[in-house]
């Protein structure tokens, strides 16, 4: 069974076509600069195909995606009918969606209704859904939400200590993101540790451009570091994470900027980029730190210190910890950051083997044999989770 996975952003659209009999990727690609000019990067076993093509909107972009999949030279299918379903990444499901769903008119309206909570993400996700419906009207479409995995959090974890009326009126609370990634790596961890998920207390660390940690107790999310929006929690590439909320008003008054400008500052010019003034990319930061750039050193220190602090917090919240899982761009590749984070956690029983920690590209337990708390590195695969959920829903 072939399933197409779509991740539609405002000016980009990522896709993967998966053969679910072997869970292998037949083709994947990226359409960039939608609404500007348009560029396609399409990859298959046969190689990479790059083309500048007009992409005035998501409808035209989806037509290009389907043409590429059907193309005589770099295509992988002979007919659109081979695509049995489409799985869409949808960022925010609010409190409405606790699991993936088959998209109906009512579901579309409900996704629209929670768009207030993710004004930059949900509208383009919906545009992607509509573009697929336009080109494949009889193919089932499934929505997979970044927030759904975290809907198991108890109220003590998701309530903010603000007037309860604001929660009731506007649904202001912690939702959490990266749910597909946290779910995937926590399930892989149970397999690697050869123990039932129900018996495990895990902290999954998704360290990419966006950064979030999740406390997974007995296979379910009981707490996570991102909040109502992806701005809360750890220091990220360009996002500030936790700060004193009073800082926002203070900056607005001192710098004479609007609420919107303050939001942009905290989302786009903060995090490790803000501290270092160098880059949001950890490879650039490491290179600058090596050359003695003190702000780059400080950015890396702040990043690792906060991640370690959150791991400790979640160990306390779960009253135990069996394993820490690192995933995503930084988590999978940056051995130095992993080492730095783990150096805070030796008293918990973390003991990383430096040689194993140096390996890359595979799921691995990098701990020494007797370490009480295991440290695992697991490459994430959000597209596979979306395709699996889509397949499951189709089977119902
Ligand atoms: P996204 O959240 O956009 O999916 P990724 O998970 O791809 O992000 O992570 C991107 C980040 O991973 C980059 O900004 C970079 O900081 C980091 N990264 C990628 N490769 C390496 C590497 N080899 N060493 C250190 N950091 C890396």
């Amino acid at each position: 069974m072939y399933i197409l996975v779509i991740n539609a952003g405002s000016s980009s659209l990522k896709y993967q076509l998966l053969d679910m009999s072997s869970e292998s990727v037949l083709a994947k690609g990226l359409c960039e600069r939608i609404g500007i000019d348009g560029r396609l990067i399409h990859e298959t076993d046969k190689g990479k195909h790059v083309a500048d093509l007009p992409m005035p909107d998501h409808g035209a972009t989806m037509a290009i995606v389907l043409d590429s999949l059907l193309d005589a030279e770099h295509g992988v299918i002979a007919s659109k009918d081979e695509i049995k379903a489409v799985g869409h990444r949808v960022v925010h499901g609010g409190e409405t969606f606790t699991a993936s769903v088959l998209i109906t008119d009512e579901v579309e309206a409900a996704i629209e209704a929670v768009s207030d909570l993710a004004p930059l993400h949900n509208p383009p996700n919906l545009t992607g859904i509509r573009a697929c419906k336009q080109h494949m009207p009889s193919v089932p479409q499934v929505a997979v939400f970044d927030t759904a995995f975290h809907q198991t959090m108890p109220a003590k974890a998701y309530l903010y200590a603000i007037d309860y009326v604001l929660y009731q009126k506007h649904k202001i609370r912690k939702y959490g993101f990266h749910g597909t990634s946290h779910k995937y790596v926590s399930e892989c961890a149970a397999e690697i540790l050869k123990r039932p998920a129900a018996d495990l207390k895990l902290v999954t660390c998704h360290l990419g451009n966006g950064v979030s940690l999740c406390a997974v107790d007995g296979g379910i999310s009981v707490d996570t570091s991102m909040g109502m929006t992806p701005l809360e929690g750890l220091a990220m590439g360009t996002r500030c994470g936790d700060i004193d909320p009073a800082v926002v008003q203070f900056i607005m008054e001192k710098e004479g900027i609007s609420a919107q400008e303050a939001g942009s500052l905290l989302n786009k010019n903060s995090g490790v980029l803000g501290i270092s003034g160098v880059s949001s990319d950890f490879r650039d930061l490491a290179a600058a730190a090596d050359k003695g750039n003190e702000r780059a050193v400080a950015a890396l220190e702040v990043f690792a210190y906060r991640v370690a602090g959150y791991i400790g917090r979640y160990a306390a919240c779960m009253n135990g910890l069996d394993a820490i899982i690192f995933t995503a761009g930084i988590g999978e590749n940056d051995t130095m950051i992993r080492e730095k984070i783990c150096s805070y956690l030796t008293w918990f029983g973390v003991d990383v083997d430096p040689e194993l920690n140096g390996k890359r590209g595979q799921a691995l337990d990098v701990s020494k044999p007797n370490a009480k708390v295991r440290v695992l590195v697991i490459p994430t695969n959000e597209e596979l989770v979306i395709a699996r959920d889509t397949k499951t829903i189709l089977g119902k």
Side-chain angles (χ1 to χ4, degrees):
M1 176 196 282
Y2 292 177
I3 288 178
L4 182 62
V5 173
I6 297 289
N7 181 355
S10 56
S11 66
S12 72
L13 185 149
K14 290 187 202 147
Y15 61 92
Q16 269 194 20
L17 185 68
L18 289 104
D19 176 356
M20 292 309 286
S21 59
S22 54
E23 294 196 330
S24 58
V25 178
L26 299 173
K28 64 178 179 180
L30 168 68
C31 300
E32 310 178 286
R33 301 178 59 85
I34 301 170
I36 306 165
D37 37 32
R39 161 165 284 220
L40 166 78
I41 304 163
H42 177 82
E43 286 178 71
T44 66
D45 276 356
K46 297 171 213 164
K48 199 180 208 174
H49 168 74
V50 181
D52 291 327
L53 296 163
M55 299 176 184
D57 54 37
H58 287 71
T61 306
M62 260 322 291
I64 289 171
V65 171
L66 291 170
D67 284 349
S68 307
L69 294 171
L70 287 160
D71 189 86
E73 263 176 50
H74 46 260
V76 287
I77 50 174
S79 156
K80 258 194 325 197
D81 297 342
E82 290 178 53
I83 301 172
K84 296 302 174 210
V86 184
H88 294 268
R89 176 192 183 205
V90 179
V91 167
H92 220 305
E95 288 186 323
T96 314
F97 297 105
T98 55
S100 304
V101 285
L102 185 70
I103 300 173
T104 59
D105 289 346
E106 292 74 37
V107 166
E108 235 180 277
I111 294 172
E112 193 141 32
V114 297
S115 287
D116 261 8
L117 296 169
L120 299 178
H121 293 101
N122 274 27
N125 297 159
L126 274 169
T127 312
I129 291 169
R130 287 171 186 146
C132 284
K133 279 172 71 178
Q134 176 195 336
H135 292 285
M136 295 175 275
S138 56
V139 177
Q141 315 273 330
V142 169
V144 180
F145 300 91
D146 270 27
T147 50
F149 181 61
H150 303 299
Q151 279 296 305
T152 45
M153 278 190 291
K156 65 183 175 187
Y158 72 67
L159 281 180
Y160 290 131
I162 56 172
D163 190 338
Y164 195 78
V165 172
L166 292 167
Y167 164 58
Q168 290 173 312
K169 258 171 79 180
H170 306 297
K171 298 287 175 208
I172 298 172
R173 50 159 282 184
K174 180 187 279 282
Y175 291 95
F177 298 86
H178 294 140
T180 47
S181 179
H182 291 298
K183 178 174 187 246
Y184 177 75
V185 298
S186 61
E187 287 170 1
C188 291
E191 279 174 34
I192 294 172
L193 296 168
K194 298 191 175 64
R195 287 174 61 186
D199 294 348
L200 287 170
K201 295 179 191 291
L202 308 172
V203 176
T204 50
C205 309
H206 181 108
L207 315 181
N209 273 321
V211 174
S212 74
L213 264 57
C214 180
V216 184
D217 194 351
I220 62 167
S221 168
V222 293
D223 204 346
T224 190
S225 61
M226 281 180 168
M228 182 178 92
T229 76
L231 188 56
E232 189 181 340
L234 286 315
M236 310 182 206
T238 63
R239 296 180 212 145
C240 62
D242 299 338
I243 54 169
D244 178 347
V247 169
V248 183
Q249 185 185 345
F250 192 82
I251 297 176
M252 286 169 66
E253 287 170 3
K254 289 283 178 193
E255 295 285 318
I257 58 174
S258 66
Q260 202 180 5
E261 287 166 321
S264 173
L265 179 79
L266 299 177
N267 273 289
K268 296 183 182 153
N269 289 313
S270 300
V272 293
L273 169 68
I275 297 175
S276 68
V278 172
S279 172
S280 61
D281 193 300
F282 277 61
R283 288 160 289 197
D284 300 338
L285 288 174
D290 278 348
K291 287 190 192 130
N293 184 317
E294 284 177 15
R295 281 171 58 184
V297 172
L300 293 169
E301 292 295 335
V302 167
F303 182 86
Y305 177 75
R306 288 221 191 162
V307 174
Y310 260 92
I311 293 171
R313 167 173 164 175
Y314 289 155
C317 293
M318 292 189 289
N319 205 1
L321 181 61
D322 294 298
I324 299 162
I325 296 100
F326 289 105
T327 193
I330 302 158
E332 290 165 31
N333 297 300
D334 198 326
T335 52
M336 184 268 288
I337 281 287
R338 286 202 301 261
E339 227 171 82
K340 220 183 246 305
I341 294 166
C342 290
S343 70
Y344 288 100
L345 305 167
T346 49
W347 70 273
F348 270 143
V350 165
D351 195 1
V352 165
D353 181 326
E355 199 175 311
L356 288 174
N357 189 42
K359 295 195 175 173
R360 277 193 199 170
Q362 68 206 79
L364 205 63
D365 183 338
V366 299
S367 315
K368 287 187 182 161
N370 293 328
K372 207 173 105 212
V373 173
R374 313 305 298 176
V375 174
L376 311 182
V377 179
I378 302 179
T380 194
N381 195 340
E382 292 164 277
E383 289 78 12
L384 182 58
V385 175
I386 295 173
R388 281 180 181 168
D389 273 18
T390 303
K391 186 181 166 192
T392 305
I393 285 176
L394 223 64
K396 278 183 187 162

